[in-house]
Amino acid sequence: MTGVRSWRALLAVPVLVAGAAVIGVASPAQAARSVIDLGSLGGGFSSATGINNLGQVIGESTTANGTAHAFRWTRSAGMRNLGTLRGGNVSSAAAINDLGQVVGYSEIASGQVRAFRWTPTGGMRNLGTLDGDSQAVAINNSGQVGGRSDAANGDRHAFRWTPRGGMRDLGTLGGTESSVTAMNDLGQLAGSSSTRNGEEHAFRWTPTGGMRDLGTLGGAESTAIDINDLGQVTGSSTTANGENHAFRWTRTGGMRDLGTLGTTFSSATAINNVGQVAGFLIKAGIHQSAFRWTRTGGIRNLGHLGGNFSTGVGINDHGEVACDSVTTRNKSHACTWTRSAGMRDLGTLGGSESQAAGINEQGQVTGDSTTAKGENHATLWLP
């Protein structure tokens, strides 16, 4: 749910606070939802990276002096600047749990960056480091954190942080590097690690079993993207014939190829607690389509908004998919897909483009959009 997007040269705008206007989208394809402009922290740019089941949104925004800070937005308080760790100038939020706790990274006085956990009562806390830069990427509802940090030998290792135990080096699969991508409420983590022979393999780490190599689909490499509360992992792997296929891994069934619908490339991006998977397919290197996979229905092409590109970015436990797609005018728009309505365009804040970042159990979608003034603002689309 995360990722820092490239900044754009934008004009400064006033901070929007609680009570920000809900903007109704106009066209028939967009009329099913309304969108809230989350504003900015005083600069001309904001972008959302995640949303929890309370509808709280996190991301980053430029301030009046042009630096980027992590934010948390709520309907009651609007966009709140989470600040930085002492001496730092920039910060960014990567994930939020249902308690409203936020993790990400912040610069410190030395110019290095450190993983942080922010809580409504305690503010921003430095989670430390294994030895060098560190960054938090995931948090569960117990306040446990997953991320990556430089290690003493200069390599980068996955870590798990807990309020009682602090930061723990999760090691590797025999190679030099490892990284966390997702965490569930059982404290299990998914990610990727280099092996002894230099290949990259997906892993699942558990408190009792440590780091487990999930293998591949017959090729040399695999990578894990997401994990659900059942401990099921999804991601992508190379196959014996050199293609790239989405997979779902379970403890009893191992790594299962989710297929490609006749294309040569598929990749998973998210898995829900029912075991349904969202992702994308690529045909001939130029035609990309979002997909949803279920145990009973297999892999399903979710279509497009008129162009030749779409991708699934998130899926909730109702099977609703948050997606991005290109329109007939060749503009990227955030969208949702449901069984009853198919793919729906979520529109924009008056500009030409928008993109989704995540979806919660209420079907609320967060992301960002260009405005009529040409700025980029974080958004929340409401069902």
Side-chain angles (χ1 to χ4, degrees):
M1 128 158 118
T2 79
V4 179
R5 301 187 179 97
S6 300
W7 293 4
R8 305 171 188 175
L10 302 170
L11 299 174
V13 294
V15 177
L16 296 187
V17 296
V22 178
I23 302 171
V25 284
S27 74
Q30 302 165 6
R33 287 177 181 252
S34 56
V35 57
I36 300 176
D37 184 340
L38 304 190
S40 77
L41 294 174
F45 172 90
S46 64
S47 180
T49 54
I51 184 171
N52 66 13
N53 287 322
L54 302 177
Q56 300 170 341
V57 177
I58 51 107
E60 67 173 38
S61 173
T62 51
T63 62
N65 65 8
T67 58
H69 283 194
F71 73 77
R72 187 184 75 147
W73 180 94
T74 66
R75 290 293 294 266
S76 59
M79 185 177 286
R80 176 174 179 177
N81 189 339
L82 302 190
T84 67
L85 295 172
R86 182 174 297 179
N89 293 312
V90 299
S91 63
S92 182
I96 183 171
N97 66 14
D98 288 338
L99 301 177
Q101 300 170 343
V102 181
V103 296
Y105 71 86
S106 171
E107 187 182 49
I108 58 175
S110 67
Q112 291 184 314
V113 296
R114 293 288 187 270
F116 74 78
R117 186 181 74 147
W118 179 95
T119 66
T121 55
M124 186 177 287
R125 175 179 178 178
N126 187 335
L127 300 188
T129 177
L130 299 175
D131 193 1
D133 290 339
S134 63
Q135 181 177 0
V137 300
I139 183 170
N140 66 17
N141 286 327
S142 297
Q144 301 168 341
V145 180
R148 52 187 175 267
S149 172
D150 294 335
N153 61 2
D155 298 331
R156 180 166 290 185
H157 285 191
F159 73 77
R160 179 177 179 255
W161 180 95
T162 64
R164 289 188 177 183
M167 186 176 289
R168 175 179 176 181
D169 188 338
L170 303 188
T172 72
L173 293 173
T176 59
E177 305 276 335
S178 62
S179 181
V180 167
T181 52
M183 186 177 200
N184 67 16
D185 279 341
L186 300 178
Q188 301 171 345
L189 298 123
S192 303
S193 171
S194 58
T195 63
R196 287 183 177 86
N197 60 8
E199 297 171 346
E200 182 182 25
H201 282 197
F203 73 77
R204 186 184 74 145
W205 183 96
T206 66
T208 55
M211 187 178 288
R212 176 175 178 176
D213 189 336
L214 302 188
T216 74
L217 292 173
E221 299 193 333
S222 61
T223 183
I225 303 298
D226 200 10
I227 185 171
N228 65 14
D229 287 340
L230 300 175
Q232 300 169 342
V233 178
T234 198
S236 64
S237 171
T238 54
T239 63
N241 63 2
E243 296 180 350
N244 194 91
H245 289 197
F247 73 79
R248 188 183 73 142
W249 180 94
T250 65
R251 189 173 53 180
T252 55
M255 186 176 287
R256 176 177 179 177
D257 190 334
L258 302 188
T260 64
L261 284 179
T263 68
T264 59
F265 185 102
S266 65
S267 181
T269 57
I271 186 170
N272 65 17
N273 288 323
V274 187
Q276 299 170 338
V277 177
F280 62 92
L281 311 157
I282 298 178
K283 183 178 182 180
I286 57 172
H287 191 91
Q288 180 168 320
S289 298
F291 77 76
R292 188 183 76 143
W293 179 93
T294 66
R295 283 176 292 179
T296 55
I299 194 167
R300 176 174 181 175
N301 188 330
L302 303 188
H304 308 85
L305 292 175
N308 65 354
F309 173 93
S310 65
T311 186
V313 301
I315 186 169
N316 65 17
D317 289 349
H318 304 292
E320 300 171 331
V321 178
C323 51
D324 294 320
S325 180
V326 169
T327 67
T328 53
R329 297 184 178 181
N330 203 33
K331 301 297 182 181
S332 178
H333 279 199
C335 53
T336 58
W337 181 95
T338 64
R339 284 190 301 174
S340 59
M343 187 173 286
R344 290 193 174 185
D345 190 337
L346 299 186
T348 72
L349 292 173
S352 61
E353 298 193 304
S354 61
Q355 55 187 350
I359 186 170
N360 66 13
E361 295 307 309
Q362 286 68 51
Q364 299 171 336
V365 177
T366 195
D368 51 77
S369 170
T370 55
T371 69
K373 295 181 179 180
E375 298 167 348
N376 195 90
H377 285 193
T379 55
L380 175 64
W381 285 275
L382 303 175

